[in-house]
């Protein structure tokens, strides 16, 4: 089958099965183009609840499809690429969070959305990289435990100086690889070009850049610049910008081989077609107690406006 034929079959299968396709911006460009809704973790998690469709196919990693299922239990939710997972999502055992909360009842446990439903179920509130600073600064608690990403946690701590933020020692194995030398080298190659970076990178790397923010923040910043922009996050973001927002500008990717999330690149158009037809992918199932407890953490995030 040609790419065009697969795309036509996806469109027909979507209508026949009442399916909506969601894709994170880190997905391969042909998957982003085939999706109905694209964006970062926050946009995807906020979009699902109001959708009329009976089925959702998520092109992303497992925690993203779980988040859809948490918020829309009556929909059939399929992860298009069944093995796509985020290593950071399981870097802390839910039972350790439970023990921490019992020992520290006045500390708010705040989890990054890149966590399993079982982990979210043990936490007080969930945040995305778009909303983490805003939400932590608005919490009534003074003491915060931020899990699992130490880099995003330190970024939150720096930007919420009124809070005492303890960070877990997890990290994104993709963003955590970027070094100060990588940034210095690309800045030397492209002097006077602003650098936008994701706060999942190490703080000493973030400190060398002009802005740090979520996928959506980076896209907003990059589009607003009059000239070229250096992009220091997963390479799907610069690919998206160069394909859809370039004009006469160039979005220059830092270390494209390093900043490639292998799990995010697993989805193929054939996987997507099979998932939409009901012949492939992985259906998300959650036990109701876990779902309801995880939903409390996500609902609280949404109540804070993100
Ligand atoms: P955002 O989509 O929230 O920016 O997160 C980046 C990421 O690594 C998703 O897995
Ligand atoms: Fe997980 Fe990092 Fe991949 Fe995002 S880029 S899905 S945080 S491993």
């Amino acid at each position: 089958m040609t790419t065009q034929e697969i795309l036509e079959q996806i469109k027909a299968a979507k209508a026949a099965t009442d399916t909506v396709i969601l894709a994170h911006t880190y997905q391969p460009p042909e998957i982003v183009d085939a999706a109905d809704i694209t964006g970062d973790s926050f946009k995807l998690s906020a979009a699902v609840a109001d959708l009329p469709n009976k089925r959702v196919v998520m092109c992303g990693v497992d925690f993203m499809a779980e988040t859809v299922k948490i918020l829309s239990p009556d929909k059939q939710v399929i992860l298009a690429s069944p093995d796509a997972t985020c290593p950071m999502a399981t870097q802390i055992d839910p039972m350790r969070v439970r023990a921490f909360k019992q020992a520290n009842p006045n500390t708010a446990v705040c989890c990054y959305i890149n966590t399993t439903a079982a982990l979210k179920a043990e936490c007080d509130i969930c945040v995305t990289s778009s909303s983490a600073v805003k939400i932590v600064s608005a919490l009534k608690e003074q003491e915060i435990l931020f899990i699992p990403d130490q880099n995003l946690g330190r970024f939150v701590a720096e930007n919420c100086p009124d809070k005492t933020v303890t960070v877990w020692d997890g990290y994104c194995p993709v963003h955590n690889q970027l070094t100060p030398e990588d940034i210095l080298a690309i800045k030397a190659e492209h002097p006077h070009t602003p650098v936008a970076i994701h706060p999942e990178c190490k703080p000493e790397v973030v400190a060398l850049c002009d802005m740090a923010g979520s996928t959506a923040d980076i896209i907003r910043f990059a589009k607003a610049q009059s000239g070229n922009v250096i992009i220091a996050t997963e390479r799907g973001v610069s690919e998206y910008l160069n394909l859809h927002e370039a004009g006469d500008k160039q979005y220059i990717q830092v270390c494209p081989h390093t900043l490639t999330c292998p799990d995010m690149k697993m989805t193929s158009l054939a996987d997507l077609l099979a998932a939409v037809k009901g012949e492939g992918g992985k259906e998300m199932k959650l036990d109701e107690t876990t779902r309801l407890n995880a939903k409390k953490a996500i609902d609280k995030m949404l109540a804070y406006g993100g």
Side-chain angles (χ1 to χ4, degrees), residues 221-233:
F221 172 86
K223 281 164 66 177
Q225 305 308 301
S226 53
N228 296 348
V229 184
I230 297 170
I231 306 291
T233 185

Side-chain angles (χ1 to χ4, degrees), residues 24 26 61 63-64 85-89 112 114 171-175 200 234 260-264:
H24 192 276
Y26 293 179
V61 291
F63 79 80
M64 296 178 175
T85 189
C86 171
M88 182 157 61
Y112 191 20
N114 294 35
Y171 58 88
C172 161
V174 178
H175 289 89
E200 286 177 14
E234 211 280 344
T260 298
C261 175
D263 285 274
M264 281 288 195

Side-chain angles (χ1 to χ4, degrees), residues 14 21-24 30-38 59 272:
K14 254 190 346 181
I21 301 173
L22 311 184
H24 192 276
E30 65 278 13
I31 300 293
V32 171
D33 285 347
D36 300 300
I37 301 177
T38 62
C59 303
L272 178 53

